[in-house]
């Protein structure tokens, strides 16, 4: 038991579609933690890289050591913003051919900190969507305060995939669903001020929702502020079940099936 009195999903299987176990905050306990949460009902995890170097290599290494871990490889908009380096397409394509890779991610647009590299962010995001299409892979998209431009690029390039940690309006969510994409919901839905996200969860059919953590960030209530791990998805599922009038187990099952379908995992 990681936290005292923590509820577990067993015998059901949680699918965490968005995590960052390559993060340094897991150093020294990563392998033990991943083994432990596997025993608590976490059947599948997709680690999303933020760059094509240290982060990508670490995510691939984790998948080699843990059979329940899969990988998404991509250049995160914050990496584009802070490093301003052009996309190394050859390297990306080579990394995407690794056996644990199921998606291009984490990619997208982020206007929160600064927008000095807005044009470059657009270019790198658009190109990664095109490469995902060429290689028959879905995308995992990050959109922070960039809803309009993100939607525009997705409408233009039409990849399969999900919008992770969705923070937009009901209208935007339904546009994303119309594109055949999925809405990623994490611990934020359990927060007191999550009114907008609750409305999104009400409006989007359960067949189009994926569960995620964004671990080590965004732990659901009652563990808010603590380091997040995939077993805490149980609490996100519990909240979503309440919104949808379903059982927590049904929510865990259906969202895991959605993810298996999207990421082609058996
Ligand atoms: Ni993330």
């Amino acid at each position: 038991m990681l936290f005292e009195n923590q509820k577990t999903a067993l015998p059901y299987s949680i699918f965490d579609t968005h995590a960052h176990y390559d993060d340094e905050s897991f150093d020294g306990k990563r392998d033990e933690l991943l083994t432990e949460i596997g025993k608590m009902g976490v059947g599948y995890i997709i680690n999303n890289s933020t760059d094509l170097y240290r982060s990508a290599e670490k995510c691939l290494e984790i998948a080699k050591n843990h059979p329940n871990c899969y990988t998404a490889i991509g250049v995160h908009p914050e990496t584009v913003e802070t490093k301003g380096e052009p996309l190394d397409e050859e390297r990306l394509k080579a990394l995407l051919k690794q056996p644990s890779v199921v998606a291009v991610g984490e990619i997208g647009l982020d206007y929160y900190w600064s927008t000095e590299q807005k044009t470059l962010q657009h270019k790198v995001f658009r190109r990664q969507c095109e490469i995902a299409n060429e290689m028959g892979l879905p995308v995992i998209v990050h959109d922070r305060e960039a809803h309009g431009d993100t939607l525009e690029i997705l409408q233009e390039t039409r990849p399969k995939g999900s919008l992770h940690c969705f923070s937009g309006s009901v209208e935007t969510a339904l546009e994303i669903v119309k594109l055949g994409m999925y809405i990623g919901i994490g611990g934020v839905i359990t927060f007191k001020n999550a009114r907008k996200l609750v409305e999104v969860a009400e409006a989007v059919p359960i067949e189009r929702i994926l569960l995620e953590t964004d671990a080590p960030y965004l732990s659901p209530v009652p563990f808010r502020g603590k380091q997040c791990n995939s077993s805490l998805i149980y609490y996100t599922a519990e909240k979503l079940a309440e919104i949808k009038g379903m059982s927590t187990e049904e929510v865990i099952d259906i969202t895991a099936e959605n993810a298996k379908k999207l990421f082609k995992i058996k």
Side-chain angles (χ1 to χ4, degrees):
M1 203 59 62
L2 294 169
F3 294 105
E4 208 162 328
N5 300 323
Q6 190 187 331
K7 297 176 192 169
T8 65
L10 291 168
Y12 298 89
S13 200
I14 285 173
F15 196 132
D16 183 356
T17 57
H18 193 104
H20 298 280
Y21 286 99
D22 61 311
D23 192 88
E24 283 170 8
S25 65
F26 291 114
D27 284 358
K29 58 178 168 183
R30 181 176 295 109
D31 289 325
E32 201 189 342
L33 176 68
L34 286 167
T35 306
E36 177 85 357
I37 62 175
K39 288 182 203 153
M40 291 171 72
V42 177
Y44 312 85
I45 297 166
I46 300 178
N47 280 305
N48 284 240
S49 81
T50 54
D51 65 34
L52 302 183
Y53 304 95
R54 192 208 65 85
S55 174
E57 277 159 18
K58 192 78 201 169
C59 291
L60 289 168
E61 184 197 314
I62 293 169
K64 273 189 189 148
N65 297 330
H66 297 274
N68 60 346
C69 288
Y70 298 83
T71 316
I73 302 279
V75 181
H76 191 289
E78 231 174 273
T79 308
V80 177
E81 190 65 45
T82 54
K83 299 207 173 135
E85 59 186 33
L87 178 68
D88 184 342
E89 292 191 19
E90 291 318 305
R91 185 166 170 85
L92 173 63
K93 287 180 190 169
L95 289 167
L96 291 173
K97 287 180 187 144
Q98 295 295 312
S100 67
V101 173
V102 294
V104 179
E106 169 172 6
I107 63 174
L109 301 177
D110 193 321
Y111 296 169
Y112 181 73
W113 298 107
S114 137
T115 53
E116 271 168 48
Q117 305 283 4
K118 215 171 181 173
T119 312
L120 187 62
Q121 279 198 38
H122 290 189
K123 199 173 151 198
V124 171
F125 178 36
R126 186 179 286 113
R127 192 62 199 124
Q128 290 186 103
C129 288
E130 289 166 358
I131 290 171
N133 288 342
E134 283 165 27
M135 299 190 62
L137 289 167
V139 294
I140 298 176
V141 178
H142 169 108
D143 159 20
R144 196 174 186 194
E145 299 189 3
H147 307 316
D149 290 348
T150 301
L151 183 61
E152 214 177 287
I153 290 174
L154 291 174
Q155 284 170 332
E156 222 175 87
T157 55
R158 301 298 297 256
K160 292 191 178 1
S162 76
L163 224 93
H164 119 80
C165 200
F166 187 80
S167 59
S169 63
V170 170
E171 291 70 31
T172 308
L174 295 177
E175 287 297 324
I176 295 293
V177 168
K178 217 193 276 175
L179 290 174
M181 296 182 75
Y182 293 76
I183 301 294
I185 291 180
V188 171
I189 200 159
T190 65
F191 297 177
K192 256 198 195 122
N193 56 359
R195 194 184 47 85
K196 207 166 94 179
L197 186 56
V198 168
E199 285 170 13
V200 166
E202 281 167 355
V204 174
I206 188 77
E207 288 74 23
R208 284 313 176 86
I209 294 176
L210 302 179
L211 295 184
E212 60 168 60
T213 53
D214 213 13
Y217 312 109
L218 301 174
S219 282
V221 172
F223 301 102
R224 191 173 178 180
K226 301 215 166 79
Q227 186 186 52
C228 189
N229 72 73
S230 310
S231 69
L232 298 180
I233 278 188
Y234 186 91
Y235 295 86
T236 304
E238 201 175 37
K239 178 68 189 184
L240 190 56
E242 183 194 308
I243 295 166
K244 290 292 194 191
M246 303 171 87
S247 72
T248 305
E249 289 71 21
E250 267 180 298
V251 165
I252 288 171
D253 255 4
I254 295 170
T255 53
E257 286 307 315
N258 296 343
K260 286 186 205 168
K261 200 167 125 196
L262 174 62
F263 299 109
K264 299 193 183 107
I265 291 172
K266 287 195 179 124

